[in-house]
Amino acid sequence: VQLQASGGGLVQPGGSLRLSCAASGSIFSIDVMGWYRQAPGEQRELVARITSGGSTNYAVSVKGRFTISRDNAKNTVYLQMNSLKPEDTAVYYCNADIMRDYSGSYYYDSWGQGTQVTVSS
């Protein structure tokens, strides 16, 4: 069971990007999925998270610009990022707090490999 993130890149200020993170393996369920980011010299911070039922919460800095969603059938979480700013530049990581596979094993606090988002003109 692992998480694979994709969709990062270089974009101009005001532009958009969509990140995806798919969990692979024989997954039965995933509780909360989220996106975090870490800029150089900074601590990793929460960007947005979504429960299996669709409840969401966002960092104040991205509220109104970013939208998190998930497809439970595909075990995938998305982050639509609009109106990007240079201060959004960071490595973005996806996270799953509790995953369960069909053998009954649990996986706690799993992280994807990170995808670079650079906002620059």
Side-chain angles (χ1 to χ4, degrees):
V1 174
Q2 60 181 2
L3 299 174
Q4 181 73 36
S6 62
L10 172 64
V11 64
Q12 291 187 341
S16 298
L17 280 176
R18 188 191 194 210
L19 306 183
S20 300
C21 176
S24 61
S26 183
I27 297 169
F28 174 73
S29 65
I30 304 175
D31 191 6
V32 180
M33 301 186 80
W35 288 96
Y36 292 72
R37 67 186 180 186
Q38 187 167 19
E42 302 289 334
Q43 291 196 351
R44 192 172 297 188
E45 64 175 1
L46 173 69
V47 176
R49 56 201 300 266
I50 183 168
T51 69
S52 58
S55 296
T56 60
N57 63 284
Y58 296 89
V60 172
S61 60
V62 307
K63 196 171 293 186
R65 300 187 297 121
F66 292 10
T67 302
I68 190 170
S69 60
R70 64 189 284 175
D71 184 334
N72 290 332
K74 295 181 179 180
N75 295 317
T76 300
V77 63
Y78 306 96
L79 186 68
Q80 178 66 43
M81 304 185 293
N82 299 327
S83 302
L84 282 160
K85 304 175 181 181
E87 51 263 44
D88 295 316
T89 296
V91 178
Y92 283 69
Y93 298 90
C94 58
N95 174 271
D97 68 341
I98 304 173
M99 294 192 286
R100 180 186 175 190
D101 68 17
Y102 280 97
S103 73
S105 296
Y106 287 85
Y107 303 83
Y108 298 95
D109 199 27
S110 301
W111 292 89
Q113 84 284 11
T115 184
Q116 177 70 47
V117 171
T118 303
V119 185
S120 175
S121 55

